[in-house]
């Protein structure tokens, strides 16, 4: 059994958090100087434990074991959200490094291949899952050409050049090399903490279906236009939101969630009746039948709200991913490892957030493990996890990797 070094794991996690340190978290946007510095440090760490390391043309950092394989690919993303937490993505990256190191020190495991990896731009500063999608061949040149930073507007091509990546080749997956992919992540919610569990074995990753709803009313004077003749796009949007709030619970599954993430009113002045409203709305679930039912419900509510308010409404689906169920044998390996270290402290659960594992899982077998987020907080600089849980999670992931590789 590989024995991870908990002190070394925490030390490396803390070091990784110095790249772009912000309060108790990090600010390390994709391809920023801090991001690239962290990737170069990581490549050097891979080399220090006997791996061949390189950074590819989109910034993915690969550590390749000298063992012939099949290898277990282990990692996550290394950039952060803006002014956010120190563990989101970074934890899974350092787990991969530590597990590769622990395997090299283990008499029983040193002939097993662990290939750690740090993906780029899972956080969508330029393109959602840019690194992992590039690796599996799901990122075209046209999408790269069109992509710009959502914060600064900088073209992706320009950012790649500034980061020194534009002349590097992009790594492409060779499925025969890998036994599969394992990723560990903070939960980013409070389910584990609220139930007193320390580990979550992920069963599936939800799909996100997102919509743009445009509501056309009549812009007019807020003081002189009689209520009886108004077609207020802002109030129509509120009416639609109320209908969704009342009807979605009846159509939802047990883990469905939905969010009105943005509402823009035009012209957005206090003394003008809005003539137009644009709503961004999304829902998430891990069952396609539920997603389709929620979509049908949404379309019906848009029609109903339009009839009630006299405002024309159009709806456009702008993203529609597919849920991914984790490989059954990988789940069993994670469950067995969790039972061995924390018999009453684990649970099977879906992931309500997206992760690189859902991209890799379409090409090779994949599994995921969660550890608790204190207070359920993530995407904020106060994000944190107890050190004991960080160490436990890494040991369980290492044991699962050994179980899977030993069975090959």
């Amino acid at each position: 059994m590989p024995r991870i070094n908990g002190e070394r794991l925490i030390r490396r996690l803390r070091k990784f958090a110095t790249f772009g340190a912000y309060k108790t978290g990090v600010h390390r946007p994709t391809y920023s100087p801090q991001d690239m510095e962290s990737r170069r440090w990581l490549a050097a760490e891979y080399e220090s434990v006997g791996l061949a390391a390189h950074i590819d043309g989109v910034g993915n950092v690969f550590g390749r074991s000298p063992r012939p394989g099949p290898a277990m690919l282990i990692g996550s993303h290394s950039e952060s959200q803006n002014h956010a937490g120190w563990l989101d993505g970074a934890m899974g990256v350092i787990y991969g490094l530590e597990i590769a190191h622990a395997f090299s020190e283990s008499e029983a495991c040193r002939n097993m291949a662990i290939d750690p990896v740090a993906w780029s731009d899972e956080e969508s500063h330029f393109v959602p899952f840019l690194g992992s999608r590039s690796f599996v061949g799901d990122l075209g040149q046209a999408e790269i050409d069109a992509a710009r930073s959502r914060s600064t507007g900088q073209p992706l091509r320009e950012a790649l050049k500034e980061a020194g990546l534009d002349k590097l080749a992009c790594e492409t997956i060779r499925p025969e090399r890998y036994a599969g992919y394992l990723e560990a992540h903070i939960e980013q919610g409070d389910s584990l903490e609220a139930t007193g569990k320390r580990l979550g074995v992920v069963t599936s990753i939800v799909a996100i279906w997102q919509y743009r709803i445009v509501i056309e009313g009549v812009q007019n004077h807020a003081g002189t236009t009689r209520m009886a003749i108004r077609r207020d796009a802002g109030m129509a949007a509120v009416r639609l939101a109320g209908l969704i709030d009342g009807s979605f619970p009846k159509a939802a599954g047990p883990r469905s969630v939905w969010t009105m993430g943005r509402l823009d009113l035009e012209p957005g002045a206090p003394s003008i009746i809005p003539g137009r409203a644009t709503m961004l709305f999304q829902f998430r679930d891990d069952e396609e039948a539920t997603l389709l039912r929620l979509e049908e419900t949404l379309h019906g509510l848009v029609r109903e709200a339009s009839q009630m308010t006299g405002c024309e409404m159009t709806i456009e689906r702008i993203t529609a991913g597919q849920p991914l169920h984790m490989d059954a044998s990988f789940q069993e390996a994670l469950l067995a490892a969790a039972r061995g270290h924390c018999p009453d402290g684990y649970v099977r659960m879906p992931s309500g957030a997206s992760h690189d594992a859902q991209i890799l899982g379409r090409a090779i077998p994949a599994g995921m493990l969660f550890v608790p987020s204190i207070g359920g907080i993530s995407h904020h600089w106060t994000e944190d996890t107890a050190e004991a849980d960080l160490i436990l999670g890494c040991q369980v992931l290492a044991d699962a990797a050994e179980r899977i590789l030993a069975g090959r």
Side-chain angles (χ1 to χ4, degrees):
M1 179 183 296
R3 293 291 181 187
I4 66 120
N5 183 319
E7 181 181 350
R8 184 172 64 199
L9 170 72
I10 299 301
R11 183 173 68 249
R12 281 174 167 152
L13 276 167
R14 295 293 181 189
K15 173 64 178 178
F16 208 45
T18 65
F19 299 103
Y22 174 80
K23 297 186 178 181
T24 59
V26 295
H27 178 65
R28 198 164 60 224
T30 307
Y31 307 133
S32 65
Q34 297 81 9
D35 179 43
M36 294 310 301
E37 186 182 5
S38 76
R39 293 177 189 275
R40 289 188 289 270
W41 173 84
L42 186 64
E45 288 293 296
Y46 287 167
E47 294 277 359
S48 75
V49 301
L51 304 168
H54 74 281
I55 301 174
D56 82 349
V58 292
N60 293 326
V61 189
F62 295 94
R64 185 181 173 93
S65 169
R67 308 304 176 196
M72 183 59 67
L73 189 64
I74 302 178
S76 190
H77 62 94
S78 58
E79 80 287 334
S80 76
Q81 284 278 357
N82 292 330
H83 306 104
W86 71 295
L87 293 170
D88 180 356
M91 184 194 80
V93 168
I94 301 302
Y95 272 22
L97 170 61
E98 174 56 34
I99 292 171
H101 199 162
F103 269 58
S104 73
E105 296 173 330
S106 167
E107 190 70 34
C109 299
R110 63 180 47 156
N111 289 321
M112 295 179 177
I114 301 294
D115 287 2
V117 63
W119 307 114
S120 65
D121 208 27
E122 186 266 3
E123 296 288 13
S124 308
H125 291 277
F126 291 90
V127 175
F129 305 106
L130 191 157
S132 54
R133 287 181 57 210
S134 173
F135 185 59
V136 302
D138 185 37
L139 185 69
Q141 294 301 310
E143 188 171 0
I144 295 175
D145 289 339
R148 292 178 176 271
S149 166
R150 57 184 166 88
S151 298
T152 67
Q154 182 186 33
L156 174 56
R157 290 289 188 192
E158 182 182 301
L160 291 171
K161 184 175 182 179
E162 287 185 1
L165 300 171
D166 58 314
K167 299 293 194 300
L168 301 179
C170 293
E171 186 82 9
T172 303
I173 192 170
R174 291 187 294 109
E176 68 275 9
R177 166 68 184 173
Y178 301 109
Y181 174 69
L182 287 173
E183 181 171 358
H185 209 279
I186 55 171
E187 182 198 349
Q188 301 182 284
D190 70 344
S191 295
L192 291 174
E193 187 178 67
T195 55
K197 303 297 184 184
R198 300 179 66 192
L199 299 163
V201 175
V202 177
T203 56
S204 58
I205 301 176
V206 301
I208 304 173
W209 288 16
Q210 184 157 294
Y211 303 81
R212 180 183 293 109
I213 302 168
V214 178
I215 302 168
E216 300 285 356
V218 176
Q219 181 178 323
N220 213 333
H221 195 292
T224 61
T225 307
R226 292 183 296 115
M227 297 303 294
I229 65 169
R230 291 188 183 208
R231 289 166 56 198
D232 185 329
M235 294 304 293
V238 172
R239 185 72 63 88
L240 174 60
L243 290 174
I244 292 170
D245 192 47
S247 296
F248 258 50
K250 302 167 189 173
R255 294 295 296 253
S256 300
V257 294
W258 51 93
T259 304
M260 185 177 72
R262 182 167 179 170
L263 178 61
D264 294 323
L265 303 181
E266 298 177 26
S271 293
I272 302 176
I273 299 166
R276 182 184 176 98
T278 303
M279 177 191 297
L280 294 183
F281 181 77
Q282 69 168 229
F283 49 78
R284 307 184 185 207
D285 201 87
D286 64 349
E287 295 295 337
E288 188 169 6
T290 302
L291 294 163
L292 290 169
R293 186 168 64 248
L294 290 172
E295 181 177 65
E296 183 181 5
T297 299
L298 180 61
H299 277 273
L301 295 175
V302 167
R303 290 192 297 269
E304 182 180 349
S306 179
Q307 292 169 1
M308 290 170 61
T309 62
C311 293
E312 182 181 348
M313 299 188 184
T314 59
I315 180 170
E316 173 192 7
R317 187 206 280 177
I318 53 178
T319 61
Q322 294 299 309
L324 181 78
H325 292 264
M326 297 290 98
D327 182 86
S329 64
F330 279 38
Q331 289 185 54
E332 288 305 315
L334 287 163
L335 287 165
R339 279 193 295 270
H341 290 280
C342 195
D344 299 316
Y346 68 91
V347 66
R348 299 179 63 174
M349 62 186 296
S351 171
S354 298
H355 299 286
D356 288 299
Q358 73 191 87
I359 306 299
L360 273 296
R362 304 194 193 284
I364 55 177
M368 277 200 78
L369 182 72
F370 283 162
V371 297
S373 295
I374 294 174
I377 295 171
S378 184
H379 286 191
H380 189 268
W381 54 266
T382 56
E383 167 189 285
D384 205 5
T385 296
E387 286 190 358
D389 290 335
L390 293 171
I391 294 168
L392 173 65
C394 191
Q395 185 63 66
V396 167
L397 198 73
D399 288 3
E402 181 196 23
R403 288 173 182 272
I404 294 166
L405 291 175
R408 296 285 161 169

